[in-house]
Amino acid sequence: MKLINATIWLLAISATPALAATNAADQLISSYPADTPAADAGKGQALWNQKFPGKAPFGERSCQMCHNSNLKQPGEHIRTRKLIKPLAPSVNPQSLSDIKKISKWLKRNCKWTIGRECSAEEKTHLLSFIKQQ
């Protein structure tokens, strides 16, 4: 009986970071206007892979340019070459665990990649896609 309780406790503890990531992303999604379309991971993936025109020297830009097409793998900042931790909550539970950080990075990265802030709909789709990784 003690072994079963210990196993359940270990599983609960290991799942907690993933739940925190999901909860923070879900809380952010629920804060968007009520008329924002439902989250669609497929649309988020399409946006993730979409290429946008950019200025020299980097030219065309996409999310995967720095973050990688496989969100379970680390990325690399295109300018500084600094390592970017994987975004997939399944391998990096910290990636979607803080609403302020999510908002900050969505704003910054959308402006750099797309050339403007992402709409609530785009953010919803992107978060849905990242959460599933």
Side-chain angles (χ1 to χ4, degrees), residues 25-37:
D26 288 342
Q27 287 175 6
L28 189 57
I29 289 169
S30 69
S31 75
Y32 297 140
D35 62 345
T36 302

Side-chain angles (χ1 to χ4, degrees), residues 18 21-22 41-42 44-46 48-49 67-73 86-93 95-96 125-133:
T22 300
Q45 183 175 17
W48 185 266
N49 294 317
H67 291 284
N68 212 331
S69 58
N70 179 352
L71 279 66
K72 294 179 181 182
Q73 299 295 318
L87 280 180
S90 62
V91 296
N92 179 8
S95 73
L96 295 178
H125 298 323
L126 283 169
L127 289 171
S128 177
F129 169 62
I130 295 168
K131 277 177 26 179
Q132 289 186 351
Q133 304 304 304

